[in-house]
Amino acid sequence: MSAPKKIAHIGIAVKSLEKTLPFYTEQLGLELVGTEIVESEQVQVAFLKVGESHIELLEPLSDESPIAKFMEKRGEGIHHIAFDVDDVTGRLATLKEQGVPLIHEIPKAGAHDALIGFLHPKAANGVLYELCQYPKES
Protein backbone atom coordinates (compact mmCIF):
# COMPACT_ATOMS: atom_id res chain seq x y z
CA MET A 1 0.00 0.00 0.00
CA SER A 2 1.49 3.34 -1.04
CA ALA A 3 1.65 6.36 1.24
CA PRO A 4 -1.07 9.04 0.99
CA LYS A 5 -0.50 11.45 -1.90
CA LYS A 6 -0.87 14.61 0.19
CA ILE A 7 -2.84 16.26 2.93
CA ALA A 8 -6.14 16.89 1.15
CA HIS A 9 -7.47 19.23 3.82
CA ILE A 10 -7.58 20.11 7.48
CA GLY A 11 -11.14 20.15 8.82
CA ILE A 12 -12.03 22.88 11.31
CA ALA A 13 -15.32 22.83 13.23
CA VAL A 14 -17.06 26.23 13.41
CA LYS A 15 -20.40 27.46 14.71
CA SER A 16 -21.02 29.80 11.77
CA LEU A 17 -19.43 29.93 8.32
CA GLU A 18 -20.83 33.43 7.85
CA LYS A 19 -19.03 34.73 10.94
CA THR A 20 -15.85 32.72 10.42
CA LEU A 21 -15.14 33.10 6.70
CA PRO A 22 -14.07 36.78 6.76
CA PHE A 23 -11.06 35.93 8.96
CA TYR A 24 -9.86 33.35 6.45
CA THR A 25 -10.57 35.38 3.31
CA GLU A 26 -9.89 38.95 4.47
CA GLN A 27 -7.29 38.61 7.21
CA LEU A 28 -5.44 35.50 5.99
CA GLY A 29 -6.11 36.20 2.30
CA LEU A 30 -7.15 32.64 1.44
CA GLU A 31 -9.25 31.98 -1.65
CA LEU A 32 -12.76 30.65 -1.01
CA VAL A 33 -13.13 27.86 -3.55
CA GLY A 34 -16.76 27.13 -2.73
CA THR A 35 -19.30 25.78 -0.27
CA GLU A 36 -21.21 22.53 -0.24
CA ILE A 37 -23.74 20.73 1.92
CA VAL A 38 -22.65 17.19 2.83
CA GLU A 39 -25.84 15.40 3.81
CA SER A 40 -24.05 12.26 5.02
CA GLU A 41 -22.28 14.30 7.73
CA GLN A 42 -25.05 16.90 8.23
CA VAL A 43 -22.67 19.83 7.62
CA GLN A 44 -22.19 22.80 5.38
CA VAL A 45 -18.59 23.02 4.27
CA ALA A 46 -16.53 25.94 2.98
CA PHE A 47 -13.29 25.16 1.13
CA LEU A 48 -10.34 27.52 1.22
CA LYS A 49 -7.29 26.93 -0.97
CA VAL A 50 -3.83 26.78 0.60
CA GLY A 51 -1.26 25.71 -2.01
CA GLU A 52 -2.33 22.27 -3.23
CA SER A 53 -4.32 21.58 -0.05
CA HIS A 54 -7.41 23.12 1.55
CA ILE A 55 -8.81 24.28 4.84
CA GLU A 56 -12.31 22.83 5.26
CA LEU A 57 -14.58 24.82 7.58
CA LEU A 58 -17.42 22.66 8.90
CA GLU A 59 -20.68 24.15 10.20
CA PRO A 60 -23.20 21.67 11.64
CA LEU A 61 -26.68 21.67 10.08
CA SER A 62 -28.31 20.00 13.09
CA ASP A 63 -27.66 19.09 16.70
CA GLU A 64 -27.27 15.48 15.53
CA SER A 65 -24.33 16.29 13.26
CA PRO A 66 -21.02 14.73 14.30
CA ILE A 67 -19.56 18.25 14.17
CA ALA A 68 -22.19 19.58 16.58
CA LYS A 69 -21.43 16.73 18.98
CA PHE A 70 -17.70 17.39 18.63
CA MET A 71 -18.17 21.08 19.46
CA GLU A 72 -20.32 20.24 22.51
CA LYS A 73 -17.33 18.37 23.96
CA ARG A 74 -14.36 20.35 22.64
CA GLY A 75 -15.59 23.63 21.19
CA GLU A 76 -14.60 25.06 17.84
CA GLY A 77 -11.24 24.11 16.37
CA ILE A 78 -9.33 21.50 14.42
CA HIS A 79 -11.53 18.48 13.88
CA HIS A 80 -9.58 16.24 11.49
CA ILE A 81 -6.76 15.86 8.99
CA ALA A 82 -7.62 14.31 5.63
CA PHE A 83 -5.27 12.37 3.38
CA ASP A 84 -5.74 12.04 -0.38
CA VAL A 85 -5.44 8.32 -1.22
CA ASP A 86 -5.84 6.20 -4.35
CA ASP A 87 -7.92 3.33 -2.97
CA VAL A 88 -9.94 4.18 0.13
CA THR A 89 -11.83 0.87 0.06
CA GLY A 90 -8.62 -1.17 -0.03
CA ARG A 91 -6.96 0.98 2.61
CA LEU A 92 -9.87 0.65 5.03
CA ALA A 93 -9.90 -3.13 4.50
CA THR A 94 -6.16 -3.38 5.13
CA LEU A 95 -6.36 -1.18 8.23
CA LYS A 96 -9.23 -3.29 9.56
CA GLU A 97 -7.17 -6.47 8.99
CA GLN A 98 -4.32 -4.83 10.90
CA GLY A 99 -6.62 -4.19 13.86
CA VAL A 100 -6.75 -0.41 13.43
CA PRO A 101 -9.97 0.99 14.96
CA LEU A 102 -12.16 2.56 12.27
CA ILE A 103 -15.25 4.72 12.31
CA HIS A 104 -16.10 3.64 8.75
CA GLU A 105 -15.22 0.17 7.51
CA ILE A 106 -16.88 0.94 4.17
CA PRO A 107 -16.40 4.31 2.42
CA LYS A 108 -19.28 6.76 2.19
CA ALA A 109 -20.04 9.83 0.10
CA GLY A 110 -18.19 13.01 1.05
CA ALA A 111 -17.66 16.49 -0.34
CA HIS A 112 -16.40 16.94 -3.92
CA ASP A 113 -17.89 13.56 -4.87
CA ALA A 114 -15.13 11.84 -2.89
CA LEU A 115 -15.37 8.49 -1.18
CA ILE A 116 -14.34 8.94 2.45
CA GLY A 117 -13.67 6.91 5.55
CA PHE A 118 -12.57 7.96 9.03
CA LEU A 119 -10.12 6.18 11.30
CA HIS A 120 -11.07 6.22 14.97
CA PRO A 121 -9.04 8.82 16.93
CA LYS A 122 -7.90 6.15 19.41
CA ALA A 123 -5.92 4.65 16.50
CA ALA A 124 -3.71 7.75 16.31
CA ASN A 125 -3.28 9.21 19.80
CA GLY A 126 -6.46 11.26 19.68
CA VAL A 127 -6.11 12.57 16.10
CA LEU A 128 -9.07 11.97 13.77
CA TYR A 129 -7.87 11.06 10.27
CA GLU A 130 -10.01 10.96 7.15
CA LEU A 131 -9.09 9.09 3.98
CA CYS A 132 -10.41 10.68 0.76
CA GLN A 133 -10.51 9.20 -2.71
CA TYR A 134 -11.47 11.80 -5.29
CA PRO A 135 -12.97 10.98 -8.71
CA LYS A 136 -10.41 10.60 -11.48
CA GLU A 137 -10.09 13.71 -13.61
CA SER A 138 -10.85 13.10 -17.25
Side-chain angles (χ1 to χ4, degrees), residues 3-133:
K5 296 189 274 187
K6 66 179 180 180
I7 292 177
H9 63 264
I10 297 172
I12 300 174
V14 300
K15 292 178 184 171
S16 166
L17 291 178
E18 183 181 354
K19 291 179 182 175
T20 305
L21 273 171
F23 171 75
Y24 287 90
T25 58
E26 296 168 20
Q27 277 70 51
L28 294 181
L30 301 180
E31 175 191 352
L32 175 63
V33 178
T35 60
E36 182 177 339
I37 290 178
V38 181
E39 294 291 344
S40 66
E41 295 296 314
Q42 300 173 48
V43 293
Q44 181 172 8
V45 182
F47 304 96
L48 299 138
K49 189 167 179 51
V50 181
E52 61 177 29
S53 296
H54 292 88
I55 297 289
E56 180 183 83
L57 301 178
L58 304 147
E59 176 187 339
L61 294 175
S62 78
D63 292 341
E64 298 305 309
S65 165
I67 295 300
K69 292 176 181 178
F70 171 86
M71 287 193 301
E72 280 177 23
K73 293 178 186 171
R74 298 191 179 163
E76 294 178 290
I78 293 177
H79 179 259
H80 67 273
I81 298 171
F83 291 127
D84 185 350
V85 299
D86 285 325
D87 177 12
V88 69
T89 303
R91 271 185 187 274
L92 291 172
T94 300
L95 291 167
K96 181 181 175 183
E97 288 172 12
Q98 295 171 342
V100 174
L102 303 173
I103 292 174
H104 302 113
E105 293 182 6
I106 297 170
K108 61 194 265 181
H112 296 299
D113 297 321
L115 289 176
I116 65 167
F118 282 91
L119 285 61
H120 197 284
K122 65 182 167 187
N125 302 86
V127 178
L128 178 61
Y129 284 102
E130 176 185 14
L131 304 180
C132 302
Q133 179 183 341

